[in-house]
Amino acid sequence: VSELPECLEQLVRTLTRLPGIGRRSAQRIAFHLARSSPDEVRRVADAVAVLPEKLGPCEVCGNLTDESPCRVCSDPRRDPTLICVVEQPENLAAIERSGSYRGLYHVLGGSISPLRSVGPEDLRMAELGRRLEQGDVREVILATNPTVEGEATALYVARQVVPEDVRVTRPATGLPVGGDLDYIDKSTLSRAFETRHDLR
Ligand SMILES: [Zn+2]
């Protein structure tokens, strides 16, 4: 039985469901909020509460956005002949932070995983296929995570989704196997993009 008041315990449990937050961090945040002024607590609550109504997927690329098409898709300075395929919006954000890429993106919404029963039809594969059919794209860069599932997803896209006449590449150098794109530093990410290799 927890020694915390019920509402505090409830908050701790809710926080531990968030990524990267264990019981100790959750308690530290919960006690901090309990000590904060009502105004401060409301600022935190409001910032979280508006997310579902303000954010949604970009109708073009699947990026998380408050306006559709998203800022990347509607930026005329981006190179429309390049599409970088990633698993999640946070991967797109990590690549943008590295500043090493000026093309467009396509966010799949995950990776193919038989274990979690996620198949190609659960991801934004058909949308990618339709974008490629329009014929402007010359190269697809498959920047899915360097995990077993990410590799399998990259191969599926290369074999089943990208038309024959479009180049397919994958960032190579320096991406640690089993790692996650978000934890790779800027210079490693830039180098990986510069030294991408053909996948077929
Ligand atoms: Zn977009």
Side-chain angles (χ1 to χ4, degrees):
V1 183
S2 171
E3 71 285 3
L4 299 179
E6 169 120 29
C7 59
L8 210 51
E9 175 63 27
Q10 199 58 251
L11 175 59
V12 168
R13 281 197 196 151
T14 305
L15 290 169
T16 52
R17 280 191 229 119
L18 301 175
I21 305 216
R23 176 93 199 170
R24 265 177 71 175
S25 307
Q27 283 208 16
R28 199 180 306 150
I29 296 167
F31 276 108
H32 174 83
L33 288 171
R35 272 194 304 272
S36 302
S37 72
D39 272 359
E40 254 179 85
V41 174
R42 200 161 300 120
R43 258 196 297 281
V44 174
D46 288 351
V48 176
V50 297
L51 293 181
E53 59 182 82
K54 287 225 170 137
L55 292 179
C58 169
E59 64 198 286
V60 179
C61 73
N63 185 21
L64 200 59
T65 182
D66 56 1
E67 56 187 1
S68 189
C70 71
R71 285 177 192 80
V72 178
C73 287
S74 49
D75 182 350
R77 290 164 303 176
R78 311 290 304 211
D79 181 355
T81 67
L82 276 176
I83 286 189
C84 176
V85 175
V86 294
E87 294 182 20
Q88 298 290 2
E90 51 264 48
N91 303 133
L92 185 160
I95 295 169
E96 282 298 289
R97 271 198 306 278
S98 81
S100 48
Y101 178 70
R102 293 303 297 165
L104 299 173
Y105 291 93
H106 192 82
V107 182
L108 290 173
S111 56
I112 296 171
S113 167
L115 273 176
R116 287 181 288 112
S117 17
V118 180
E121 67 283 353
D122 301 309
L123 304 170
R124 300 182 74 257
M125 295 282 184
E127 289 88 340
L128 176 60
R130 279 198 290 279
R131 288 180 77 184
L132 295 174
E133 273 168 24
Q134 290 168 4
D136 300 333
V137 179
R138 287 207 303 268
E139 180 181 346
V140 173
I141 303 169
L142 297 172
T144 49
N145 289 343
T147 57
V148 174
E149 293 172 348
E151 297 289 349
T153 307
L155 282 181
Y156 180 89
V157 175
R159 287 174 184 160
Q160 309 289 333
V161 184
V162 184
E164 285 295 318
D165 55 345
V166 177
R167 190 180 174 202
V168 185
T169 57
R170 181 143 173 82
T173 319
L175 293 185
V177 175
D180 195 284
L181 270 185
D182 294 338
Y183 297 105
I184 297 166
D185 66 275
K186 274 185 191 177
S187 61
T188 307
L189 204 59
S190 317
R191 194 150 31 86
F193 265 74
E194 282 157 20
T195 57
R196 56 195 191 262
H197 62 89
D198 286 283
L199 213 59
R200 64 172 193 209

